């Protein structure tokens, strides 16, 4: 069957400055955190909080996001691997790579950080906000959670776009005309080099994508759901709802309500999109029925519903 509208996805690694490549995945994180700071600045201005406290919040949130997301992936999705490769948990390398051709040091390969889990980031941010609110902000934890989830939702959009550029967290195969052929997911750099006999992986990928001589190889790449884009689009909606609730309604005065809405909306999206997403591993084989991501999303949705239905208006002097 011909998929006339299918996109062949073979993006460059990033913006090549000659002496340095700004990877799109990293750039998406920079945009996410930068936009998040700007949103929180407006919120702090409205609430009369000092910029010094905002600077501390930025540092706490960045560290909590990166550390929590990394540990979430390690423990929720791939502990069987990392229990024997603990050095790789916090270092952007892979030990004893099979593709030794691309090793920078014998026995090691630079990979960047591969594997960040949003559930881990959510848990870590909640914990960090407890200590931040207690030691720096001097306000109840739910006060900051009701507000910080707005930039967190906006950041989720760009993180998923980063996953799209990385051709990771892809969906099941589909016959949809709007599916995407993720070449770099199907062929590893070594596979692309071996299949095309082109020694440069970047050129090998380009040849598979564009050279009619390698049409047979391109035909092998399955058409898949672009689940990263599904999530990114849905997170725009989540962000818009939270933004509206804070700026245009009185719901910001109901402690825990906006935080609860964030949990329900964002993790409902995760639960639904997971149904067409390729398995990311974890404990789903032991529990069955749902994927690991779906099992992890259920408690967040339930906690969110609790905060929505128990939210009470703040008592102000």
């Amino acid at each position: 069957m011909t998929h006339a509208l299918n996109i062949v996805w073979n993006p460059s690694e990033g913006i090549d400055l000659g002496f340095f490549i700004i990877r799109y995945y990293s750039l998406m994180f920079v945009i996410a955190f930068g936009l998040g700071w700007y949103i929180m600045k407006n919120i702090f201005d409205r609430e009369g909080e000092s910029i010094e406290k905002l600077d501390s919040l930025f540092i706490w949130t960045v560290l909590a996001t990166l550390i929590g997301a990394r540990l979430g992936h390690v423990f929720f999705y791939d502990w069987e691997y990392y229990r024997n490769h603990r050095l790789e948990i916090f270092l952007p390398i892979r030990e004893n790579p099979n593709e030794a051709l691309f090793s920078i040091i014998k026995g090691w390969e630079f990979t960047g950080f591969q594997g960040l889990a949003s559930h881990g980031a959510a848990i870590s941010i909640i914990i960090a906000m407890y200590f931040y609110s207690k030691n720096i902000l001097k306000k109840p934890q739910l006060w900051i959670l009701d507000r910080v989830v707005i930039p967190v939702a906006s950041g989720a959009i760009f993180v998923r776009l980063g996953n799209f550029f990385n051709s990771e967290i892809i969906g099941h195969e589909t016959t949809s005309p709007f599916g995407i052929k993720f070449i770099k997911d199907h062929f590893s750099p070594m596979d692309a080099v071996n299949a095309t006999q082109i020694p440069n992986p970047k050129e090998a990928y380009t040849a598979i994508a564009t050279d009619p001589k390698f049409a047979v190889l391109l035909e092998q790449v399955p058409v898949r759901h672009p689940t990263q884009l599904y999530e990114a689009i849905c997170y725009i909606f989540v962000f818009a709802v939270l933004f509206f609730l804070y700026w245009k309604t009185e719901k910001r005065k109901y402690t825990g309500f906006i935080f609860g809405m964030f949990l329900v909306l964002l993790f409902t999206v995760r639960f639904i999109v997971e149904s067409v997403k390729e398995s990311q591993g974890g404990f789903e084989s032991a529990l069955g029925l749902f994927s690991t991501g779906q099992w992890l999303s259920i408690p967040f949705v339930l906690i969110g519903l609790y905060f929505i239905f128990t939210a009470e208006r703040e008592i102000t002097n």
Side-chain angles (χ1 to χ4, degrees):
M1 179 178 179
T2 301
H3 301 80
L5 299 180
N6 290 154
I7 296 173
V8 176
W9 189 238
N10 177 42
S12 62
E13 293 182 348
I15 302 172
D16 192 346
L17 302 178
F19 60 93
F20 183 72
I21 295 178
I22 302 176
R23 297 181 183 274
Y24 291 124
Y25 187 66
S26 301
L27 182 60
M28 292 301 104
F29 267 88
V30 171
I31 293 173
F33 287 124
L35 179 60
W37 184 90
Y38 177 77
I39 293 171
M40 283 304 298
K41 179 181 182 300
N42 287 307
I43 291 175
F44 269 43
D45 286 342
R46 182 182 194 181
E47 304 287 354
E49 296 295 333
S50 69
I51 295 299
E52 287 76 14
K53 292 181 180 179
L54 175 59
D55 291 339
S56 297
L57 175 63
F58 180 79
I59 295 171
W60 282 65
T61 305
V62 169
L63 292 176
T65 300
L66 297 179
I67 295 173
R70 183 60 176 164
L71 291 179
H73 174 79
V74 169
F75 292 113
F76 294 150
Y77 290 95
D78 212 5
W79 177 241
E80 286 302 312
Y81 174 81
Y82 285 104
R83 65 188 297 181
N84 299 315
H85 301 85
R86 299 188 183 185
L87 192 62
E88 298 177 30
I89 294 176
F90 289 111
L91 293 178
I93 58 175
R94 182 157 60 103
E95 187 179 1
N96 299 320
N98 294 325
E99 298 173 8
L101 176 64
F102 305 108
S103 299
I104 55 175
I105 301 175
K106 185 176 182 181
W108 299 93
E109 178 187 8
F110 177 80
T111 60
F113 286 112
Q114 297 180 335
L116 298 172
S118 59
H119 297 91
I123 294 171
S124 183
I125 289 173
I126 292 170
I127 295 172
M129 291 307 99
Y130 168 78
F131 291 102
Y132 171 79
S133 61
K134 181 178 180 180
N135 297 312
I136 298 175
L137 191 62
K138 308 299 182 182
K139 285 181 177 288
Q141 181 186 14
L142 281 175
W143 187 93
I144 188 62
L145 286 176
D146 278 333
R147 289 151 178 82
V148 80
V149 293
I150 301 173
V152 168
S154 71
I157 300 168
F158 294 98
V159 171
R160 281 298 178 249
L161 290 177
N163 295 139
F164 183 63
F165 279 110
N166 269 6
S167 299
E168 60 189 5
I169 313 182
I170 60 175
H172 296 318
E173 294 185 25
T174 178
T175 57
S176 167
F178 302 103
I180 291 180
K181 286 175 171 276
F182 293 97
I183 292 180
K184 291 181 179 178
D185 172 77
H186 189 76
F187 293 106
S188 70
M190 179 62 80
D191 290 337
V193 167
N194 288 338
T196 61
Q197 294 300 300
I198 298 174
N200 183 294
K202 180 180 179 180
E203 294 176 3
Y205 281 129
T206 300
I208 294 173
T210 62
D211 192 336
K213 183 170 63 176
F214 299 108
V216 174
L217 295 177
L218 182 59
E219 194 65 29
Q220 295 174 15
V221 181
V223 178
R224 296 185 178 276
H225 286 287
T227 48
Q228 320 95 323
L229 297 183
Y230 296 167
E231 285 192 56
I233 293 169
C234 290
Y235 292 158
I236 293 174
F237 167 76
V238 174
F239 168 71
V241 170
L242 301 180
F243 189 89
F244 176 82
L245 288 174
Y246 178 79
W247 287 100
K248 301 297 183 180
T249 75
E250 294 291 297
K251 289 301 183 182
R252 70 181 184 282
K253 298 180 180 179
Y254 288 78
T255 303
F257 184 87
I258 295 179
F259 175 58
M261 284 295 295
F262 165 80
L263 293 179
V264 170
L265 293 176
L266 188 134
F267 288 103
T268 296
V269 169
R270 275 299 304 271
F271 187 91
I272 294 172
V273 176
E274 284 282 335
S275 65
V276 293
K277 187 184 294 184
E278 281 287 284
S279 172
Q280 303 298 305
F283 48 78
E284 59 195 50
S285 59
L287 297 180
L289 188 60
F290 298 131
S291 71
T292 300
Q294 288 176 312
W295 281 116
L296 291 171
S297 296
I298 292 173
F300 285 101
V301 173
L302 295 177
I303 292 169
L305 289 172
Y306 168 80
F307 281 113
I308 289 173
F309 290 115
T310 59
E312 296 183 355
R313 189 180 179 92
E314 296 176 1
I315 300 175
T316 57
N317 295 326

